[in-house]
Amino acid sequence: MASQPNDSDNTPDVIKKRDPRVCKVIDFIFRRQLTKNFHAVRLLNPPPENIEGPLICCINHPSWNDPMVMVFLSNRYFPDRESYGPIDAEALEGYG
């Protein structure tokens, strides 16, 4: 199980504020959106099951839906890890 950040470390505030209940709601919404708007999500090589240490995944299609896909893949392949899908703040302002 992933360790939880605490106030005595150097963890950024955005990570300290992570709420597991909100993450579950976001996961539900993202799964629904993927089912509705995507025909498939394919991986060239699925990740090995027993990876230790940090893992960085890169997507070659910069878009608003990259974080959605990353959260989906993370929850599917690494459910015990925290995942983050960055998005450009300026680009995010263009969506309702």
Side-chain angles (χ1 to χ4, degrees):
M1 186 67 106
S3 63
Q4 295 297 315
N6 60 53
D7 291 332
S8 65
D9 62 21
N10 294 326
T11 306
D13 287 340
V14 69
I15 296 173
K16 289 179 186 177
K17 294 178 183 177
R18 183 183 185 100
D19 184 339
R21 296 169 297 178
V22 172
C23 292
K24 285 185 180 189
V25 170
I26 290 171
D27 181 50
F28 172 78
I29 292 168
F30 284 0
R31 284 177 188 270
R32 197 169 126 190
Q33 289 296 319
L34 282 170
T35 303
K36 199 162 102 173
N37 298 311
F38 282 62
H39 176 69
V41 174
R42 293 185 175 92
L43 298 176
L44 180 60
N45 295 310
E49 293 182 19
N50 297 323
I51 294 178
E52 293 184 21
L55 175 66
I56 297 175
C57 299
C58 299
I59 296 180
N60 67 353
H61 181 265
S63 177
W64 66 269
N65 55 17
D66 284 356
M68 179 173 57
V69 173
M70 292 307 297
V71 169
F72 169 77
L73 293 174
S74 175
N75 289 339
R76 167 92 200 272
Y77 290 104
F78 305 106
D80 294 334
R81 293 182 178 217
E82 292 182 354
S83 65
Y84 300 89
I87 186 170
D88 182 61
E90 198 172 299
L92 187 59
E93 289 177 9
Y95 300 99

